[in-house]
Amino acid sequence: MSDPAVRVDTTSQVPPYEQIRAQLAALIRTGRLVEGERLPTVRQLAVDLGLAPGTVARAYRELEAAQLIRTRRGAGTRVAPLPDAPHGHDVHQLSTLARDFTAAARALGAGTEDILNAVRNALDSEYEPAPAPASQHTGSGSANPTEASATIPAVGSRAR
């Protein structure tokens, strides 16, 4: 399986730190990133995404607060064991993401049925990585100046 990627869209109404936090949380909760998996350093991920280190640090702090990752001096940042309690979702955040997606889809000229089909297709292929457009690649930089992506994990592997 190829390493998952985190993408940040600077034109989105969702702040970059929240895009990073939400994507990493989803990768952890769905098992694409497993316990002990090492994440890139704050500085490395910031460079890869073309963001300020404080933006990535905020995302990591929120993931730590949610007990999804742990940072230990000398051991780096790693995926924590999943909490036993089932996780809920933030209805407000979900609504914001839906509004952003819908607005972007409408800007492309998509109608309601096209938007619903796109969501159904995304849900059906949830565990299959979406192919990157030919003009885009993972790592720092992108052909689209409003989007950057980084491969996760960029360093190390599971804890020993």
Side-chain angles (χ1 to χ4, degrees), residues 116-137:
L116 291 172
N117 284 334
V119 169
R120 285 184 194 102
N121 289 339
L123 290 170
D124 289 345
S125 64
E126 186 173 356
Y127 296 102
E128 299 172 20
S135 64
Q136 194 174 336
H137 65 280

Side-chain angles (χ1 to χ4, degrees), residues 29-102:
R29 287 183 173 134
T30 60
R32 299 261 330 266
L33 289 175
V34 297
E35 180 180 343
E37 197 89 45
R38 187 168 181 188
L39 299 180
T41 64
V42 166
R43 189 171 293 161
Q44 183 61 55
L45 187 55
V47 168
D48 289 349
L49 294 173
L51 299 171
T55 302
V56 176
R58 181 169 179 185
Y60 276 22
R61 278 193 309 272
E62 293 198 10
L63 289 165
E64 277 192 282
Q67 300 179 344
L68 294 174
I69 64 172
R70 290 187 182 147
T71 302
R72 301 237 192 279
R73 188 173 196 86
T77 301
R78 296 184 181 269
V79 175
L82 282 176
D84 291 331
H87 66 280
H89 64 274
D90 182 337
V91 175
H92 174 71
Q93 181 185 9
L94 185 59
S95 295
T96 299
L97 291 170
R99 273 194 310 277
D100 285 351
F101 171 72
T102 303

